[in-house]
Structure formats: C-alpha cells, structure tokens
Amino acid sequence: MSLHFTDAEFLEAWKELDKPQLEGGWEFFTETMGVKIYRLYDKETGLYEYKVFGVLATCTPELCADVYMDLPYRKQWDGYVKELHEKDYDGHSAIYWEVKYPFPLSNRDYVYVRERRDVDVDSRKIWVVLAKSSPLSPLPEKSGVQRVNDYKQTVAMESDGACGTKVFMNYFDNPGGNIPTWLVNWAAKSGVPAFLTDMQKACGNYSNYCQKNKK
C-alpha cells in the first residue's frame, strides 16, 4: 500500500491516455516534434501547469518505464542532471535531484518521492509513475542551489498498438527565484519534447547499458 499516493491518483493518471481532461481553463500551448502540450495558469504562483501528449515510436511502454525509473542510467543520458540518487531519510526513501541551469542562474534541486504501478485495466497494460515533492525529508539545502519545494509529476504509458508507446505527462514545478520568461517558455516548448526524444534514444541503448553493468 502506498504511503504517498492514492488509488484514485493512479486511476486519474491513466484515464487521460483515453481522453485528455482539458476543461477548467486548459489551453493549447504548442505542438512540436509530434508532442502536444497544454497549459493551465496557476493564479497563486503566476506559473503554468502542463499536460503533455505524445508517442515514442520505437520503444515499448515496459522499456520506457524501466528507463524512466533507472536513476543511475539517467545520469548517463540526461545532460541536465548534476546529481541524482535515492536515499533513506529517517526511515523513508526519497530522491535527491539537482538540475543544471544556464549561467548566471542558480541550479535547482528537488527532494521527492515517487511510485510506479503496472496496472491491468480491461485487458490493457498501463504503466503509471507518480512523483511529488517531499519537503519533510531532512536534506539540508546547498549553498548556491535553489530548492524546489512545489513539484509534482504524473506519467502514464501504454502501447500505441504498434511498436511504440503512447505517453501522457502532467507536471508542475515552482522553481523559485527570478526565472526569465524566455527560459520558462523554452523549457516547456522545447525542453520536454527534447527530453522525450532523448529518452527514446536512451531506450535504444538500455540493453547495452544493462549488459555492461550486469543489471
């Protein structure tokens, strides 16, 4: 039984693979590299929450889920990772993740929890990963690095009916500080599609990585 996420949260995540839930102010933002992105303005923070719909044409959903969950491997293929590891903090596991930001901005770091479930629904196999900030994890903040305490992400994946994976992603984070609008827009318009492209390449190289590291 999950200590961090409810059954309802997992249910809501995979439902959007069938029908995107875009009522209540969601607006179409951009489509690039076959990825559609919608956004919702958050009045409290002045930032946007995003929903992403796309297809990774050359990897199976199980492989995508395995690659997505493999933190040591992500350090090999994600150039924005400065530090990434899972540790036990006062009896519960959490992930520490430091992200490189372009000069002169400070890097951002996250402490978060996540859970993967492989769900069977009416003869369909769906892979769901939920993640959110864990601000109570006792990890001191680093000098010169901005801690992100408001972060959540949902990823749901299933077969596209061929050799690929249909992907739904919903995420929000408040990076704090004064982030230029151009960088926020770039991250949403280009960064997410580029991440999915990089992940697809990483899926193609995963078996070699596993053999070398005897996973």
PDB file of all heavy atoms in Angstrom, residues 108-120:
ATOM      1  N   ARG A 108      18.838  24.270  -9.669  1.00  0.00           N
ATOM      2  CA  ARG A 108      17.701  23.921  -8.823  1.00  0.00           C
ATOM      3  C   ARG A 108      17.870  22.490  -8.335  1.00  0.00           C
ATOM      4  O   ARG A 108      18.425  21.642  -9.053  1.00  0.00           O
ATOM      5  CB  ARG A 108      16.386  24.023  -9.603  1.00  0.00           C
ATOM      6  CG  ARG A 108      15.634  25.338  -9.435  1.00  0.00           C
ATOM      7  CD  ARG A 108      16.430  26.531  -9.744  1.00  0.00           C
ATOM      8  NE  ARG A 108      15.690  27.775  -9.552  1.00  0.00           N
ATOM      9  CZ  ARG A 108      16.232  28.967  -9.695  1.00  0.00           C
ATOM     10  NH1 ARG A 108      17.515  29.096 -10.020  1.00  0.00           N
ATOM     11  NH2 ARG A 108      15.520  30.068  -9.512  1.00  0.00           N
ATOM     12  N   ASP A 109      17.384  22.222  -7.107  1.00  0.00           N
ATOM     13  CA  ASP A 109      17.362  20.835  -6.663  1.00  0.00           C
ATOM     14  C   ASP A 109      16.006  20.485  -6.062  1.00  0.00           C
ATOM     15  O   ASP A 109      15.228  21.348  -5.662  1.00  0.00           O
ATOM     16  CB  ASP A 109      18.532  20.509  -5.733  1.00  0.00           C
ATOM     17  CG  ASP A 109      18.478  21.199  -4.376  1.00  0.00           C
ATOM     18  OD1 ASP A 109      17.499  21.935  -4.093  1.00  0.00           O
ATOM     19  OD2 ASP A 109      19.420  21.010  -3.589  1.00  0.00           O
ATOM     20  N   TYR A 110      15.741  19.181  -6.075  1.00  0.00           N
ATOM     21  CA  TYR A 110      14.458  18.624  -5.660  1.00  0.00           C
ATOM     22  C   TYR A 110      14.703  17.484  -4.679  1.00  0.00           C
ATOM     23  O   TYR A 110      15.671  16.728  -4.813  1.00  0.00           O
ATOM     24  CB  TYR A 110      13.704  18.024  -6.857  1.00  0.00           C
ATOM     25  CG  TYR A 110      13.415  18.959  -8.004  1.00  0.00           C
ATOM     26  CD1 TYR A 110      14.435  19.423  -8.839  1.00  0.00           C
ATOM     27  CD2 TYR A 110      12.112  19.362  -8.287  1.00  0.00           C
ATOM     28  CE1 TYR A 110      14.169  20.261  -9.912  1.00  0.00           C
ATOM     29  CE2 TYR A 110      11.827  20.191  -9.360  1.00  0.00           C
ATOM     30  CZ  TYR A 110      12.864  20.645 -10.172  1.00  0.00           C
ATOM     31  OH  TYR A 110      12.593  21.474 -11.229  1.00  0.00           O
ATOM     32  N   VAL A 111      13.820  17.351  -3.723  1.00  0.00           N
ATOM     33  CA  VAL A 111      13.740  16.138  -2.911  1.00  0.00           C
ATOM     34  C   VAL A 111      12.312  15.632  -3.083  1.00  0.00           C
ATOM     35  O   VAL A 111      11.355  16.335  -2.754  1.00  0.00           O
ATOM     36  CB  VAL A 111      14.052  16.409  -1.431  1.00  0.00           C
ATOM     37  CG1 VAL A 111      13.956  15.110  -0.633  1.00  0.00           C
ATOM     38  CG2 VAL A 111      15.430  17.032  -1.270  1.00  0.00           C
ATOM     39  N   TYR A 112      12.176  14.439  -3.641  1.00  0.00           N
ATOM     40  CA  TYR A 112      10.822  13.983  -3.970  1.00  0.00           C
ATOM     41  C   TYR A 112      10.675  12.481  -3.776  1.00  0.00           C
ATOM     42  O   TYR A 112      11.657  11.737  -3.659  1.00  0.00           O
ATOM     43  CB  TYR A 112      10.454  14.387  -5.400  1.00  0.00           C
ATOM     44  CG  TYR A 112      11.221  13.689  -6.508  1.00  0.00           C
ATOM     45  CD1 TYR A 112      10.692  12.581  -7.157  1.00  0.00           C
ATOM     46  CD2 TYR A 112      12.465  14.154  -6.933  1.00  0.00           C
ATOM     47  CE1 TYR A 112      11.370  11.957  -8.176  1.00  0.00           C
ATOM     48  CE2 TYR A 112      13.157  13.544  -7.958  1.00  0.00           C
ATOM     49  CZ  TYR A 112      12.600  12.443  -8.584  1.00  0.00           C
ATOM     50  OH  TYR A 112      13.289  11.814  -9.601  1.00  0.00           O
ATOM     51  N   VAL A 113       9.416  12.065  -3.716  1.00  0.00           N
ATOM     52  CA  VAL A 113       9.068  10.651  -3.633  1.00  0.00           C
ATOM     53  C   VAL A 113       8.346  10.267  -4.913  1.00  0.00           C
ATOM     54  O   VAL A 113       7.746  11.117  -5.584  1.00  0.00           O
ATOM     55  CB  VAL A 113       8.166  10.356  -2.410  1.00  0.00           C
ATOM     56  CG1 VAL A 113       8.938  10.550  -1.118  1.00  0.00           C
ATOM     57  CG2 VAL A 113       6.913  11.225  -2.414  1.00  0.00           C
ATOM     58  N   ARG A 114       8.409   8.984  -5.252  1.00  0.00           N
ATOM     59  CA  ARG A 114       7.730   8.524  -6.459  1.00  0.00           C
ATOM     60  C   ARG A 114       7.303   7.076  -6.284  1.00  0.00           C
ATOM     61  O   ARG A 114       7.810   6.354  -5.421  1.00  0.00           O
ATOM     62  CB  ARG A 114       8.641   8.655  -7.681  1.00  0.00           C
ATOM     63  CG  ARG A 114       9.803   7.691  -7.666  1.00  0.00           C
ATOM     64  CD  ARG A 114      10.591   7.726  -8.959  1.00  0.00           C
ATOM     65  NE  ARG A 114      11.710   6.783  -8.897  1.00  0.00           N
ATOM     66  CZ  ARG A 114      12.530   6.557  -9.901  1.00  0.00           C
ATOM     67  NH1 ARG A 114      12.396   7.203 -11.040  1.00  0.00           N
ATOM     68  NH2 ARG A 114      13.515   5.679  -9.775  1.00  0.00           N
ATOM     69  N   GLU A 115       6.375   6.666  -7.115  1.00  0.00           N
ATOM     70  CA  GLU A 115       5.910   5.282  -7.102  1.00  0.00           C
ATOM     71  C   GLU A 115       5.484   4.882  -8.506  1.00  0.00           C
ATOM     72  O   GLU A 115       4.848   5.662  -9.227  1.00  0.00           O
ATOM     73  CB  GLU A 115       4.727   5.107  -6.140  1.00  0.00           C
ATOM     74  CG  GLU A 115       4.244   3.672  -6.040  1.00  0.00           C
ATOM     75  CD  GLU A 115       3.041   3.492  -5.125  1.00  0.00           C
ATOM     76  OE1 GLU A 115       2.725   4.430  -4.362  1.00  0.00           O
ATOM     77  OE2 GLU A 115       2.413   2.420  -5.181  1.00  0.00           O
ATOM     78  N   ARG A 116       5.850   3.676  -8.884  1.00  0.00           N
ATOM     79  CA  ARG A 116       5.424   3.102 -10.172  1.00  0.00           C
ATOM     80  C   ARG A 116       4.429   1.986  -9.919  1.00  0.00           C
ATOM     81  O   ARG A 116       4.607   1.161  -9.015  1.00  0.00           O
ATOM     82  CB  ARG A 116       6.642   2.547 -10.919  1.00  0.00           C
ATOM     83  CG  ARG A 116       6.286   1.649 -12.102  1.00  0.00           C
ATOM     84  CD  ARG A 116       7.532   1.119 -12.778  1.00  0.00           C
ATOM     85  NE  ARG A 116       7.234  -0.003 -13.670  1.00  0.00           N
ATOM     86  CZ  ARG A 116       8.131  -0.599 -14.459  1.00  0.00           C
ATOM     87  NH1 ARG A 116       9.389  -0.177 -14.449  1.00  0.00           N
ATOM     88  NH2 ARG A 116       7.787  -1.604 -15.220  1.00  0.00           N
ATOM     89  N   ARG A 117       3.376   1.956 -10.729  1.00  0.00           N
ATOM     90  CA  ARG A 117       2.443   0.836 -10.718  1.00  0.00           C
ATOM     91  C   ARG A 117       2.214   0.381 -12.154  1.00  0.00           C
ATOM     92  O   ARG A 117       2.002   1.204 -13.050  1.00  0.00           O
ATOM     93  CB  ARG A 117       1.101   1.219 -10.089  1.00  0.00           C
ATOM     94  CG  ARG A 117       1.145   1.396  -8.593  1.00  0.00           C
ATOM     95  CD  ARG A 117      -0.258   1.461  -8.020  1.00  0.00           C
ATOM     96  NE  ARG A 117      -0.259   1.955  -6.645  1.00  0.00           N
ATOM     97  CZ  ARG A 117      -1.358   2.194  -5.953  1.00  0.00           C
ATOM     98  NH1 ARG A 117      -2.550   1.991  -6.512  1.00  0.00           N
ATOM     99  NH2 ARG A 117      -1.281   2.659  -4.716  1.00  0.00           N
ATOM    100  N   ASP A 118       2.249  -0.934 -12.344  1.00  0.00           N
ATOM    101  CA  ASP A 118       1.900  -1.530 -13.633  1.00  0.00           C
ATOM    102  C   ASP A 118       0.462  -2.031 -13.493  1.00  0.00           C
ATOM    103  O   ASP A 118       0.194  -2.968 -12.738  1.00  0.00           O
ATOM    104  CB  ASP A 118       2.850  -2.670 -13.972  1.00  0.00           C
ATOM    105  CG  ASP A 118       4.313  -2.209 -13.991  1.00  0.00           C
ATOM    106  OD1 ASP A 118       4.557  -0.993 -13.979  1.00  0.00           O
ATOM    107  OD2 ASP A 118       5.203  -3.085 -14.030  1.00  0.00           O
ATOM    108  N   VAL A 119      -0.443  -1.359 -14.199  1.00  0.00           N
ATOM    109  CA  VAL A 119      -1.877  -1.539 -13.967  1.00  0.00           C
ATOM    110  C   VAL A 119      -2.509  -2.333 -15.114  1.00  0.00           C
ATOM    111  O   VAL A 119      -2.237  -2.064 -16.286  1.00  0.00           O
ATOM    112  CB  VAL A 119      -2.571  -0.156 -13.856  1.00  0.00           C
ATOM    113  CG1 VAL A 119      -4.045  -0.335 -13.518  1.00  0.00           C
ATOM    114  CG2 VAL A 119      -1.884   0.711 -12.818  1.00  0.00           C
ATOM    115  N   ASP A 120      -3.336  -3.303 -14.766  1.00  0.00           N
ATOM    116  CA  ASP A 120      -4.124  -4.043 -15.759  1.00  0.00           C
ATOM    117  C   ASP A 120      -5.560  -3.537 -15.719  1.00  0.00           C
ATOM    118  O   ASP A 120      -6.224  -3.609 -14.677  1.00  0.00           O
ATOM    119  CB  ASP A 120      -4.095  -5.539 -15.461  1.00  0.00           C
ATOM    120  CG  ASP A 120      -2.733  -6.144 -15.747  1.00  0.00           C
ATOM    121  OD1 ASP A 120      -2.300  -6.103 -16.905  1.00  0.00           O
ATOM    122  OD2 ASP A 120      -2.100  -6.654 -14.792  1.00  0.00           O
TER     123      ASP A 120
END
